[in-house]
Amino acid sequence: MEAKLKSYKRKLFRGDLINYLIVLAFYAVMQILLTTGNLSSLMKGILVPLCTYAILAVALNLCVGILGELSLGHAGFMCVGAFSSAFFTNVAKSAIPNSGLRFFLAFLIGTAVAAVFGFLIGIPVLRLNGDYLAIVTLAFGEIIKNIINALYVGVDGNGIHASLQNAGKLNMSADGNIIINGAQGISGTPKQSTFTIGILLLLLTLFIVQNLIRSRTGRAVMAIRDNRIAAESIGIKITHYKLLAFTVSAALCGMAGVLYAHNIASLAATTNRFGYNMSITILVFVVLGGIGNMRGSMIAAVVLTMLPELLRGLSDYRMLIYSIVLIVMMILTSGPKMVARRERFMEKLRGNRKKKKEAV
């Protein structure tokens, strides 16, 4: 029994290590292409978004795959993290001249604000299950987006002024500066997000999620997912563990929002960026990569983000090819027959390895 447990732990460790190595290998390949000038300007422009979407996919997979709760509001947490961090960066320009320190503090603030929103939203929402939870989280994401679109915030010598009507209602002095300008959002945020920072944050996300899953807390969360009644009967605090996993997932989405906000010149709360469409896009990454499979989520996020850009030359057939790839990936990752074949292949591969070791 003890030998089997050690073997199982080694297997988990190898799987986690492979995830880190895949990220590092991807970074190395992209850096080589960058230094040799073999990467187009279009591909250079999506390197940071690739990291952002991979972080979002892993974060949502923690909620959907490990916790077992369908959330359609994670774009809202990304939105909260993006705007809170961008607001801080613009307000603190004169107070904190060091751009690196300012970005680090913005990163902490965006992550913390998203975690707070996740905690506050999770308290009432996690009492629901299934479709009800999905609908309420979707509503939360849309509410956040619409509030930010109607929000005007300015700063002057007297402090911060806010209004939900128009910029004229801010009552600022002549030296005031509007930071959040309604539907126009925030402009002028320094582009401090780099591909290297994105990779480091992706590795941090993997480290947090994988260690959470392997911990006692993670086992409790998965027990709740598998059988809520049985978990409650042995003394597991259902609300506590569900809220913890949901808050961590929200915080990671906020972290992705910080990375995203500091990569674009103008940040606006549009539907494609922070609305329903974004939430569905992240969910597609999770489903196609395999629910509960962090490696698959990352790969799906990268492939499905790069594919439309790579096929941009085939304007007439681009979306057709994209749709075919989606269907093929769904069959390969979620089809019962393909899953069974993959498991048989892996068992056969492990059996061959054992025979080789015994022969040696």
Side-chain angles (χ1 to χ4, degrees):
M1 185 67 181
E2 200 170 316
K4 286 184 179 180
L5 183 61
K6 286 182 179 179
S7 175
Y8 178 69
K9 287 183 177 179
R10 281 197 299 270
K11 180 182 175 183
L12 293 178
F13 177 76
R14 278 199 303 270
D16 293 347
L17 186 61
I18 288 171
N19 291 343
Y20 296 129
L21 292 175
I22 287 174
V23 174
L24 292 173
F26 175 73
Y27 175 70
V29 170
M30 290 296 120
Q31 286 290 51
I32 291 170
L33 293 175
L34 277 170
T35 52
T36 56
N38 292 319
L39 207 60
S40 65
S41 58
L42 187 66
M43 290 303 298
K44 290 178 186 177
I46 66 169
L47 287 178
V48 175
L50 284 177
C51 299
T52 302
Y53 293 138
I55 292 170
L56 289 169
V58 173
L60 183 60
N61 213 344
L62 174 61
C63 183
V64 176
I66 306 304
L67 181 59
E69 298 291 356
L70 178 60
S71 171
L72 294 178
H74 272 53
F77 298 127
M78 177 189 176
C79 182
V80 168
F83 273 86
S84 59
S85 64
F87 179 79
F88 172 80
T89 298
N90 284 276
V91 169
K93 277 181 181 178
S94 57
I96 308 175
N98 189 315
S99 60
L101 176 61
R102 193 169 61 240
F103 177 69
F104 178 71
L105 292 175
F107 164 74
L108 295 179
I109 288 171
T111 305
V113 171
V116 170
F117 269 80
F119 178 79
L120 295 176
I121 296 297
I123 292 173
V125 162
L126 291 175
R127 298 180 186 277
L128 305 172
N129 292 302
D131 297 340
Y132 300 104
L133 176 65
I135 292 168
V136 173
T137 52
L138 174 62
F140 156 72
E142 291 300 307
I143 289 169
I144 288 293
K145 178 178 68 69
N146 289 320
I147 287 176
I148 290 178
N149 276 329
L151 186 63
Y152 295 85
V153 181
V155 178
D156 62 7
N158 297 320
I160 298 174
H161 305 264
S163 172
L164 287 172
Q165 296 179 11
N166 55 61
K169 297 289 185 179
L170 293 175
N171 298 321
M172 292 192 302
S173 58
D175 64 337
N177 183 29
I178 298 176
I179 305 297
I180 303 178
N181 193 17
Q184 296 180 29
I186 301 176
S187 58
T189 305
K191 296 181 71 173
Q192 294 176 280
S193 295
T194 63
F195 182 48
T196 301
I197 292 174
I199 289 293
L200 290 174
L201 292 181
L202 178 55
L203 290 171
L204 177 62
T205 302
L206 278 174
F207 179 78
I208 292 170
V209 172
Q210 291 180 163
N211 278 277
L212 176 64
I213 294 171
R214 308 298 179 230
S215 68
R216 184 178 179 180
T217 300
R219 291 193 294 272
V221 170
M222 288 186 283
I224 295 168
R225 175 199 64 189
D226 294 336
N227 195 317
R228 179 192 177 105
I229 297 173
E232 195 170 12
S233 68
I234 59 173
I236 293 177
K237 297 177 181 178
I238 304 296
T239 305
H240 170 78
Y241 286 108
K242 288 179 71 174
L243 191 58
L244 176 63
F246 192 78
T247 303
V248 171
S249 181
L252 295 175
C253 285
M255 187 170 72
V258 176
L259 188 67
Y260 186 83
H262 289 77
N263 184 56
I264 55 177
S266 180
L267 181 67
T270 61
T271 301
N272 289 332
R273 286 182 177 177
F274 300 112
Y276 174 78
N277 290 346
M278 175 59 77
S279 292
I280 294 300
T281 300
I282 305 168
L283 184 62
V284 167
F285 296 153
V286 172
V287 173
L288 290 183
I291 294 176
N293 186 345
M294 302 304 162
R295 187 186 311 159
S297 297
M298 288 191 304
I299 294 172
V302 171
V303 170
L304 295 181
T305 304
M306 291 178 66
L307 194 60
E309 305 302 331
L310 294 174
L311 297 175
R312 194 166 289 277
L314 304 172
S315 56
D316 295 334
Y317 304 101
R318 184 164 64 99
M319 295 313 296
L320 175 63
I321 297 172
Y322 183 76
S323 303
I324 292 172
V325 171
L326 285 178
I327 294 170
V328 171
M329 286 185 69
M330 177 68 78
I331 293 172
L332 292 176
T333 58
S334 303
K337 290 184 179 179
M338 292 304 300
V339 172
R341 286 177 183 175
R342 190 165 64 245
E343 288 178 354
R344 285 199 299 270
F345 174 76
M346 292 305 295
E347 286 177 4
K348 187 176 180 181
L349 190 63
R350 284 193 289 267
N352 290 336
R353 285 178 182 173
K354 285 182 179 179
K355 287 179 181 178
K356 287 181 180 178
K357 286 181 180 179
E358 289 173 359
V360 173

